[in-house]
Amino acid sequence: KPVINELTHPVALSQEDTIIFQTEHIIAAAVSLLESAARQTCGNKGTIYITYNNDLDLGEQKRELRACFRNALLEAIHKGWQVNLLVHLNSNIKRIISLIKFAKPLVQTGKFNAYHLNKYYTSGTGRENITVPGIGALSCFSTTATSAINCAFHFQNTVAVEVFQNY
């Protein structure tokens, strides 16, 4: 297993690393990443890291995609994974209630930990990350002024995934 602190040379990315466009495709890639985790029993030491800094407008697909994402998380948890969610809370009550409804069955597993950012944190705003150690990482961001997530780097290279895990 690579240890990034010991590397002294550039590391080429793998041929499986991709750039994904459109929110729906990004969510589908996130679900696929979590489903890959659910196919592996990890014991109690694996932790999936997720950020939630933005409001994701998924239109009509919102409910179905959210359910697929949560079900994939639940399956991964049942295979031994812990989940750490780092969320930016703001004054949007509707968003907070939606997050609570989404997270309730996850919290009940005892393997879901939610952490919030204070209102002064800005460096992660506009980006989302999902990291599943040993499997892959998604780094999502906007390429437009609207700040809607519409692009993601999907890494499977072990060094790249370790970088995101440590981040």
Side-chain angles (χ1 to χ4, degrees), residues 37 39 42 59 73 77 82 90 127 140-141:
R39 287 190 292 273
C42 80
L73 278 171
I77 287 170
Q82 291 277 337
N90 56 25
R127 289 186 342 133
C140 314
F141 55 95

Side-chain angles (χ1 to χ4, degrees), residues 31-89:
V31 169
S32 178
L33 191 61
L34 295 171
E35 289 173 342
S36 293
R39 287 190 292 273
Q40 296 183 13
T41 302
C42 80
N44 287 324
K45 295 189 179 190
T47 302
I48 296 169
Y49 302 95
I50 302 172
T51 63
Y52 182 49
N53 295 311
N54 302 286
D55 292 322
L56 296 177
D57 181 17
L58 304 176
E60 292 178 14
Q61 297 177 333
K62 187 180 209 176
R63 193 171 286 140
E64 182 179 328
L65 286 172
R66 186 182 305 143
C68 289
F69 189 80
R70 182 174 50 208
N71 289 340
L73 278 171
L74 283 168
E75 289 176 28
I77 287 170
H78 292 306
K79 285 290 193 155
W81 291 91
Q82 291 277 337
V83 175
N84 285 354
L85 173 70
L86 182 60
V87 62
H88 177 76
L89 296 178

Side-chain angles (χ1 to χ4, degrees), residues 1-7 49 131-137 155-167:
K1 178 181 173 180
V3 178
I4 61 172
N5 295 335
E6 297 174 5
L7 294 175
Y49 302 95
T131 305
V132 182
I135 296 176
F155 297 104
Q156 293 181 339
N157 175 284
T158 56
V159 175
V161 173
E162 185 177 345
V163 167
F164 278 94
Q165 178 182 346
N166 291 342
Y167 173 71

Side-chain angles (χ1 to χ4, degrees), residues 2 5 16 21 24 29 37 43 63 73-74 94 107-108 129 137 140:
N5 295 335
E16 291 80 25
F21 297 97
E24 296 81 11
R63 193 171 286 140
L73 278 171
L74 283 168
K94 184 177 178 181
V107 170
Q108 292 172 335
N129 292 309
C140 314

